[in-house]
Amino acid sequence: MKVAPSILTVDFCRLGEALDEAIEAGIDWLHMDVMDGNWVINRTITFGPALIRSIRDRVGPEITIDSHLMISNAEETWDQYVNAGADLIICHIEAVEDFPTLIKKIHESGAMAGCVLNPDTSEEEVIELLPDLDLVLVMSVVPGKGGQSFIPEVEKKVRNIRKAIDLQVKNGGKTTKLMIDGGVKDHNAAMVSEWGIDIAVVGSGLINDRATIKENLESISKSLET
Ligand code: DX5
Ligand code: ZN
């Protein structure tokens, strides 16, 4: 299972150094949590395309950058994140009216398309979209901020989506990636890996005052070995 840092808990004055440190430690995927001050329940504003552009310029072309859009108008503004250098655009199923058309447009732009579900959203709709999706993201916290507790009840949904992806691959379809986001730390990383997660987003478990990014990544990697 791959780990993709979320930068929400970083001191933004230290962002460049934190990115260098994460990449030095072996990270090759960065998760960008975009909130517009409207869509998430606590009305948080994080950052937008300008920061993603700076991050792309800093890390170079080899690192995968996804944009997790927790915004009201993703259908109108997703292309700004592609233009800023994001490889993958992840939109909430709860926030988009016409998901099939959105996927088509994202693919036409050359980017990859992902769909994210809130903890209490059922997997049914996303399973219909699966053949065209590059990634499905299951939220294991209510979107809005870093540092929340993991919601274990998402297990069944993760396993169902895993099963559907495996069947799709067996039938010659796309290898849609499965990602989880929220509350993943060294103590539960092995569990979500066993559920069949390909990529875990880790924010506060990676960027915190207790240890360096490298040390935190090492303790997650160690927990995945056992
Ligand atoms: C929540 C964000 C997450 C989250 C990850 O709205 O999508 O990416 O902040 O941070 P941790 O790992 O601290 O839950
Ligand atoms: Zn996220």
Side-chain angles (χ1 to χ4, degrees):
M1 184 178 73
K2 192 193 277 290
V3 170
S6 155
I7 58 163
L8 282 189
T9 52
V10 80
D11 168 359
F12 278 96
C13 283
R14 279 207 60 241
L15 179 58
E17 294 147 49
L19 293 170
D20 296 348
E21 193 189 332
I23 291 164
E24 175 74 29
I27 287 297
D28 65 359
W29 187 307
L30 297 169
H31 178 81
M32 299 293 138
D33 285 308
V34 178
M35 304 183 199
D36 64 357
N38 184 50
W39 192 75
V40 295
I41 46 170
N42 53 345
R43 304 273 191 246
T44 304
I45 298 175
T46 56
F47 51 79
L51 186 74
I52 295 174
R53 168 46 61 198
S54 298
I55 291 173
R56 170 57 79 203
D57 292 345
R58 174 105 179 188
V59 302
E62 302 302 323
I63 307 293
T64 300
I65 298 180
D66 77 52
S67 293
H68 174 193
L69 302 184
M70 291 163 273
I71 62 178
S72 301
N73 59 349
E75 278 165 301
E76 286 110 62
T77 59
W78 61 270
D79 57 322
Q80 296 185 30
Y81 300 89
V82 176
N83 294 336
D87 302 290
L88 165 65
I89 304 297
I90 311 174
C91 299
H92 272 267
I93 193 133
E94 305 87 1
V96 167
E97 272 179 36
D98 183 354
F99 223 105
T101 302
L102 179 62
I103 296 173
K104 202 166 159 267
K105 286 187 184 163
I106 293 173
H107 282 157
E108 280 165 5
S109 80
M112 293 181 283
C115 178
V116 43
L117 294 86
N118 276 339
D120 54 6
T121 300
S122 131
E123 63 273 31
E124 260 168 63
E125 257 179 88
V126 80
I127 284 176
E128 278 172 37
L129 299 169
L130 214 52
D132 295 319
L133 285 171
D134 299 289
L135 178 139
V136 174
L137 169 55
V138 175
M139 289 308 298
S140 40
V141 297
V142 175
K145 57 179 181 194
Q148 304 182 75
S149 299
F150 185 83
I151 300 173
E153 286 78 15
V154 299
E155 176 178 2
K156 193 161 170 271
K157 176 160 58 181
V158 170
R159 289 192 188 276
N160 285 344
I161 299 171
R162 177 78 265 160
K163 246 187 252 163
I165 292 172
D166 289 347
L167 185 66
Q168 171 170 293
V169 173
K170 199 174 152 222
N171 292 331
K174 213 176 174 76
T175 311
T176 306
K177 294 226 179 322
L178 185 52
M179 181 184 246
I180 199 160
D181 184 8
V184 179
K185 304 220 158 51
D186 52 5
H187 67 85
N188 56 13
M191 177 183 77
V192 298
S193 171
E194 191 273 319
W195 293 357
I197 292 291
D198 300 307
I199 306 144
V201 173
V202 184
S204 54
L206 212 52
I207 303 174
N208 56 44
D209 297 335
R210 294 184 297 280
T212 65
I213 294 174
K214 188 165 182 267
E215 287 162 348
N216 285 323
L217 190 63
E218 275 167 8
S219 75
I220 294 171
S221 304
K222 214 177 270 167
S223 75
L224 290 174
E225 282 163 21
T226 50

